[in-house]
Amino acid sequence: MLSERERERYKRQIMLFGEAGQENLKKAHIFIAGAGGLGSPVSIYLAVAGVGNLTVVDKDIVDQSNLNRQILHYDRDIGRKKVVSAEEKLQAYNPDINIRIIDATLDESNADRLIGNADGIVDAMDNYPTRYLLNIIAQKKKIPLFHGAIRGFYGQATTIIPGKTACLQCLFPSAPPQEVFPVVGATPGVIGTIQTTEVLKYLLGTGDLLTNRLLIWDGMAMHMDEISFERNPACLSCGTGCGASTSLMEASEKKIRRKKK
C-alpha cells in the first residue's frame, strides 16, 4: 500500500496509471548494470518514479573524466566507488525506495546470482562481452533486457522480451571492436531516459514496447529513426536448443573471447 507521503509524491503519475500502477512500481525490482553515463539517468528516473527496489552494479571508481556525462557523481566524488556515490544520490532523490549496491565486475561466475529474481535488467554497460552475458542471463531467467548504447552524438536502444522477441545477439551477432569512444553528456541522457520509459511501460503493462525494433538517435541531425529486426533461429543465445544451459553460456563467452583476440 502507498503511504500518504507517497501519494503526494507521485500524484502527478497516479493521474496517469492510478494507485494500483504506482503500487506495481513500488513492488518492482530492477537490476541496473552500470552506474556511469547510461546508468545515471536510468537509476535517477527510476528512483524518482518510485520503482521500489533498485540494484546497481559497478566496479569502477569515479574519475574526473566521467563528470561530463555521469550525472550521479559530483566533483567531490572523485576517487570514491561509483556504487557508493550512486547509493548516496539515489537515496537523497527518494528515501522511500530500497537501493542495493554491488561493488563487483559482472562475469560468468556471478551474474546469474547477482541478478537473482529481478523483474528487469537494464544494460547500461559500455562493452559488448558483458552485454552478451546479460542477454544470456535474461534468456535463461525469462527477464526483459533493456538495451542502450551511445557514442558521440549517437545512441541506440531496444527492448528484449525473452521467448517473444529477437534477442541482442540476433541483432548483433558479433561484438564491435573495443574502443575508448567519445561522448557528449546529453546523449546518454536521451538514451537513458528512453530505457527508463521502456522499463516503466513494461512494469505498468501499458504502451507499445520497443521490441524487435532498434531505435537510433542522431543528435547531430536531431533525428530519430528505427530499424526492424527479427529473431535468428540459429542464434547462439535464443535459437533452437537454447535452454540457457551452463554449456551454452560457456560456448557464448568463448566465442566472444575469441573475437576479442
Side-chain angles (χ1 to χ4, degrees):
M1 297 292 291
L2 300 177
S3 67
E4 286 304 315
R5 169 190 169 94
E6 289 171 318
R7 289 190 181 92
E8 178 64 21
R9 176 185 287 270
Y10 307 124
K11 66 180 182 180
R12 297 287 286 271
Q13 295 177 184
I14 291 171
M15 292 171 65
L16 288 171
F17 40 75
E19 286 197 19
Q22 192 64 53
E23 288 170 0
N24 285 340
L25 297 185
K26 182 176 181 177
K27 292 183 290 186
H29 174 205
I30 297 298
F31 182 92
I32 304 169
L38 288 169
S40 289
V42 168
S43 59
I44 288 171
Y45 279 106
L46 289 178
V48 298
V51 175
N53 303 279
L54 299 179
T55 295
V56 182
V57 180
D58 203 301
K59 183 62 178 176
D60 289 344
I61 291 172
V62 179
D63 183 82
Q64 194 166 40
S65 66
N66 302 147
L67 301 182
N68 80 314
R69 64 197 181 280
Q70 299 185 14
I71 57 175
L72 267 176
H73 314 301
Y74 305 161
D75 193 78
R76 67 167 190 250
D77 297 314
I78 293 171
R80 300 177 72 199
K81 292 284 190 181
K82 285 187 180 179
V83 288
V84 174
S85 170
E87 180 183 35
E88 178 183 278
K89 310 309 189 309
L90 295 174
Q91 279 307 181
Y93 273 115
N94 192 345
D96 295 328
I97 64 171
N98 301 311
I99 308 295
R100 175 186 176 219
I101 59 170
I102 301 174
D103 177 24
T105 299
L106 285 170
D107 57 32
E108 264 192 307
S109 70
N110 63 17
D112 189 297
R113 172 176 53 83
L114 296 179
I115 291 170
N117 295 317
D119 297 304
I121 302 168
V122 176
D123 166 17
M125 300 303 299
D126 61 0
N127 70 89
Y128 275 81
T130 307
R131 288 185 166 120
Y132 286 147
L133 178 59
L134 293 174
N135 182 61
I136 292 170
I137 300 294
Q139 297 300 313
K140 173 184 177 180
K141 292 178 173 286
K142 306 300 182 186
I143 298 173
L145 177 65
F146 304 91
H147 164 74
I150 56 171
R151 190 183 193 283
F153 283 90
Y154 303 89
Q156 64 191 35
T158 191
T159 295
I160 294 156
I161 309 295
K164 296 182 178 180
T165 72
C167 79
L168 190 67
Q169 204 156 6
C170 294
L171 178 59
F172 302 110
S174 59
Q178 287 276 70
E179 64 170 336
V180 177
F181 52 84
V183 61
V184 63
T187 304
V190 171
I191 300 301
T193 51
I194 289 170
Q195 289 176 280
T196 304
T197 303
E198 288 291 283
V199 172
L200 295 176
K201 289 192 302 181
Y202 173 77
L203 294 176
L204 293 165
T206 189
D208 295 323
L209 293 172
L210 194 59
T211 51
N212 293 324
R213 297 178 290 149
L214 180 69
L215 183 145
I216 300 172
W217 164 250
D218 180 347
M220 293 296 285
M222 200 53 67
H223 181 73
M224 195 172 284
D225 205 349
E226 64 179 47
I227 298 172
S228 297
F229 61 99
E230 297 180 348
R231 187 175 183 185
N232 176 10
C235 176
L236 185 61
S237 293
C238 73
T240 304
C242 175
S245 64
T246 301
S247 60
L248 177 65
M249 293 174 63
E250 290 175 349
S252 183
E253 285 301 289
K254 286 178 182 177
K255 180 180 178 182
I256 294 165
R257 286 196 290 268
R258 285 198 299 271
K259 289 181 178 296
K260 289 177 66 180
K261 291 180 179 179

